Amino acid sequence: MTHYEVIVIGVGCMGSAACASLARRGVRVLGLEQHTIPTDLGSSGHQSRIFRLAYYEHPDYVPLLKQAYSGWQQLQIEADMPVFAETGGLYIGQAGGEFVEHSQASAIRHGLQYERLDKHEIESRYPVLELPDDFVGLYEQPAGMIFPERAIQAQADLARRHGAHLLEGVRVHSWEQTPSQCHVETDSGRFTSDRLVICSGGWTPELCPGIPLSVSRQILGWMQTPEPDLVSMEHFTTWAIELEDQSLLYGFPLCDGLDGPAGFKMARHLPGASCDPRTLVREAQPGDEDDFLSYARRFLPRAVGPVTDMKVCLYTNTPDKHFIIDRHPRHDRVFLATGFSGHGFKFQPIIGEILADLAVHGSTDQPIGFLGLDRFERS
């Protein structure tokens, strides 16, 4: 039985980056993935994710995002395919609302460049948008779109290039820690390691009972827009609009050459119905388009056309919608990266480094104190 220094369970967004970061450091690492690498059965598929710096969710994310941005530039150089496109980003909402105001406060606190735009400036720059008079926006140039399957593939390729052993189609049934090592039981046998990193997305509640997580079913939609030039990468940007319930309608400019559905992609950022990923209905159902279509008709009517495709992905949610990156509360050789609550992919490069720090040294100099499990004990 081969023994590893570190085993990573889940080689999706964060697990692939952790394997790459560990392998770069010369660590003997095994990555275990129950699906393919990459896969569209988790939280990290279907063409595109937004990258933004002026983070309204919590200002302490911004130092991590600055390092993630550098990481994306480096991965773009090292990868065999484009993984990131700097399109700019536009964040819209009612004046005084949380989305725009907190994004601006975050930008000011961390010295980020931005433009504040009123309704007329937004509509003049992006004629596809039709907004209420009291809406405002914040624009930042370094924002853009990440191509998630490519990013995962690039990280996995780098991990293998530096000596990592990555196994696909291997399901983990259980794990345990003894005083001297970790044991992982799979349908391909038992593996052992000095330390264990768990990045298993929607399957984490099954592997780590007691961690405060819930999994939800999320809908992504594509439509055949009647005026594609208005939403092309040459004339549009990544975007998000705060709605009355504080959810976000968000989307991407049209981008040619991507695998998967064609069309103008959008979705709503709000945890959907709770689900079990083992029994999840993965096919789009009649009425799923209601999650985003009425809002699209309201704010981007010239872009709305027939819905041509819908896909299902997963959110793994924490009670406060902030990530969990921490040592397991009962096992000192085990580390968790989970609960990314639908906004984690943009952090992939820096979280890979953080997980490598934790697995090798047991700690990190990165500012992740606000993402620890102890916050749930304090609340």
Side-chain angles (χ1 to χ4, degrees):
M1 180 169 54
T2 304
H3 181 83
Y4 294 85
E5 292 177 80
V6 179
I7 293 176
V8 177
I9 300 178
V11 190
C13 174
M14 304 312 177
S16 63
C19 288
S21 297
L22 286 161
R24 283 180 188 274
R25 302 182 190 198
V27 175
R28 184 171 177 79
V29 58
L30 170 66
L32 299 174
E33 172 54 51
Q34 65 177 326
H35 303 301
T36 58
I37 303 172
T39 181
D40 63 359
L41 298 177
S43 305
S44 302
H46 309 307
Q47 292 185 343
S48 49
R49 295 292 186 275
I50 289 178
F51 179 85
R52 52 194 168 89
L53 282 165
Y55 225 60
Y56 85 105
E57 289 89 339
H58 195 300
D60 287 356
Y61 283 112
V62 177
L64 299 174
L65 284 164
K66 288 181 175 181
Q67 295 180 82
Y69 180 76
S70 297
W72 288 117
Q73 306 310 306
Q74 183 62 35
L75 189 62
Q76 185 89 311
I77 294 169
E78 296 179 310
D80 296 327
M81 65 202 109
V83 298
F84 179 84
E86 190 171 297
T87 63
L90 178 64
Y91 322 132
I92 301 169
Q94 189 175 38
E98 182 176 295
F99 186 32
V100 173
E101 305 304 339
H102 287 199
S103 295
Q104 182 171 330
S106 185
I108 292 170
R109 175 173 173 175
H110 293 283
L112 304 176
Q113 296 295 313
Y114 69 93
E115 295 178 75
R116 179 147 177 150
L117 307 172
D118 64 25
K119 161 201 163 66
H120 302 291
E121 291 170 319
I122 295 169
E123 292 177 347
S124 175
R125 188 178 297 188
Y126 304 109
V128 71
L129 291 165
E130 296 184 14
L131 304 173
D133 289 340
D134 62 346
F135 269 40
V136 296
L138 183 143
Y139 176 82
E140 60 171 350
Q141 183 54 53
M145 56 194 296
I146 302 158
F147 308 124
E149 293 93 344
R150 295 179 181 180
I152 292 169
Q153 187 65 63
Q155 297 282 15
D157 290 346
L158 287 168
R160 289 185 171 115
R161 195 179 307 163
H162 289 275
H165 190 196
L166 307 184
L167 297 180
E168 301 176 66
V170 175
R171 185 180 176 194
V172 172
H173 297 296
S174 64
W175 60 269
E176 65 174 347
Q177 177 185 307
T178 65
S180 61
Q181 59 187 7
C182 300
H183 302 270
V184 180
E185 297 288 349
T186 79
D187 51 15
S188 294
R190 168 179 274 206
F191 301 93
T192 66
S193 63
D194 298 323
R195 291 167 297 282
L196 180 63
V197 175
I198 300 177
C199 307
S200 48
W203 289 265
T204 306
E206 179 182 354
L207 290 175
C208 299
I211 302 300
L213 298 169
S214 62
V215 181
S216 59
R217 179 179 183 269
Q218 306 296 142
I219 298 298
L220 310 171
W222 288 257
M223 63 181 65
Q224 181 181 336
T225 178
E227 299 189 64
D229 190 57
L230 285 179
V231 294
S232 68
M233 289 189 73
E234 292 74 23
H235 299 110
F236 204 30
T237 182
T238 56
W239 55 276
I241 301 171
E242 185 176 31
L243 306 175
E244 291 88 344
D245 59 2
Q246 294 189 309
S247 67
L248 300 178
L249 181 71
Y250 70 93
F252 305 84
L254 276 175
C255 182
D256 295 330
L258 298 180
D259 295 334
F264 181 45
K265 179 186 174 185
M266 66 177 64
R268 192 157 68 110
H269 177 61
L270 180 74
S274 295
C275 68
D276 182 332
R278 297 169 298 182
T279 58
L280 169 68
V281 177
R282 294 193 173 274
E283 297 76 24
Q285 302 297 300
D288 277 346
E289 68 275 11
D290 296 341
D291 194 54
F292 60 86
L293 193 53
S294 63
Y295 300 108
R297 291 183 176 130
R298 177 179 167 191
F299 294 112
L300 305 94
R302 295 174 64 182
V304 174
V307 175
T308 55
D309 212 335
M310 290 186 288
K311 298 292 184 182
V312 172
C313 75
L314 303 176
Y315 280 7
T316 307
N317 306 292
T318 64
D320 61 7
K321 304 303 183 287
H322 297 305
F323 313 157
I324 293 171
I325 306 175
D326 204 350
R327 192 188 301 269
H328 193 285
R330 295 181 298 280
H331 303 282
D332 63 350
R333 293 176 176 268
V334 181
F335 300 91
L336 305 177
T338 189
F340 291 99
S341 303
H343 63 108
F345 202 109
K346 61 184 71 66
F347 294 83
Q348 186 204 54
I350 186 59
I351 289 179
E353 294 296 326
I354 289 168
L355 292 174
D357 286 347
L358 294 174
V360 172
H361 306 296
S363 62
T364 181
D365 292 334
Q366 298 294 339
I368 60 167
F370 72 111
L371 302 175
L373 278 162
D374 63 348
R375 71 184 190 268
F376 300 111
E377 299 171 5
R378 298 192 302 264
S379 62

